[in-house]
Every structure is written in C-alpha cells, then in structure tokens.
Amino acid sequence: MTELFEAAVDVFMLAVGLGCVWLGCSATHRRHQYPELARGPAWATRTWGLGFVLLGMSLAIASVGRLTGETWSWPSAVMRWVAGPLVVGSILASMLSRHRPRRNGRTAEAVDEGRRA
C-alpha cells in the first residue's frame, strides 16, 4: 500500500512539474499577459518564467527517476541553487518595481492601466 501511495505522489509531482513548465513557458512568451504574481519589468517576468521552466523540469525529472527506481541528486540541486533563486529573486524584483515610483513621475499601476487601454 505504501508503494502505491508513493507512486501516486510521484505521478502527481510529475503533473505539477509539467504544469510549472507550461506556466513558465507561457509567462516567457506572452507579451503583456503575465501572471499576476510576476507583473513587473519584462526582464523580471522572463526570469520568473525561466525559473519556473527549470523548476518544473527538475520536478518532472526527479519524479520520473523515483518512478523508475533511480535516485539522482542533480534535479534537487538545480531546484535549490538555480530555479529557486531565479523564481524568488524575480518575484522580489517585481514587487520592488511595483512599489517604487518611476523617475518620470508615473507609477507602475499607471503604466499597467495605460497598457490595458
């Protein structure tokens, strides 16, 4: 029973990994339609998307490895040392850019409203 539960969790994590890859690719390739969490400068949003692609690929590879009986340490190292800092750093950069006024007097909200119009 425990093996069945572990296999179900690995299949779920594989689906989550593929979902992260999809979300990261869509955030990287769509212009002006970014997820709410990643709104900010284009470079920060693309960095967030790249981080999510790497995170999803690492999750999927680690899940496939557990399903096949292999144990690899490099997917968790990629998640910890590359994907995590990219995602967290880009979210922090987006948050800071939204709350910091622009040099020409416009705020990030005014820029977002101008894009919507």
Side-chain angles (χ1 to χ4, degrees), residues 6-12 14 60-70:
E6 288 177 6
V9 168
D10 288 336
V11 168
F12 175 72
L14 177 65
I61 291 169
S63 298
V64 168
R66 282 191 299 271
L67 282 171
T68 60
E70 300 285 328

Side-chain angles (χ1 to χ4, degrees), residues 29-116:
H29 295 296
R30 289 188 302 179
R31 296 188 57 84
H32 308 299
Q33 296 176 357
Y34 304 125
E36 184 63 35
L37 186 61
R39 291 192 188 265
W43 64 268
T45 303
R46 291 197 174 108
T47 304
W48 182 84
L50 176 65
F52 254 72
V53 168
L54 289 173
L55 179 69
M57 288 173 44
S58 300
L59 277 172
I61 291 169
S63 298
V64 168
R66 282 191 299 271
L67 282 171
T68 60
E70 300 285 328
T71 54
W72 299 310
S73 60
W74 66 268
S76 62
V78 168
M79 284 186 268
R80 183 177 298 124
W81 298 110
V82 180
L86 282 176
V87 169
V88 172
S90 61
I91 289 173
L92 289 175
S94 294
M95 288 172 54
L96 288 173
S97 71
R98 279 188 271 178
H99 295 294
R100 195 178 88 191
R102 305 251 182 207
R103 288 185 182 170
N104 61 1
R106 296 184 339 171
T107 61
E109 290 82 17
V111 171
D112 284 340
E113 288 177 12
R115 287 182 185 160
R116 289 184 197 142

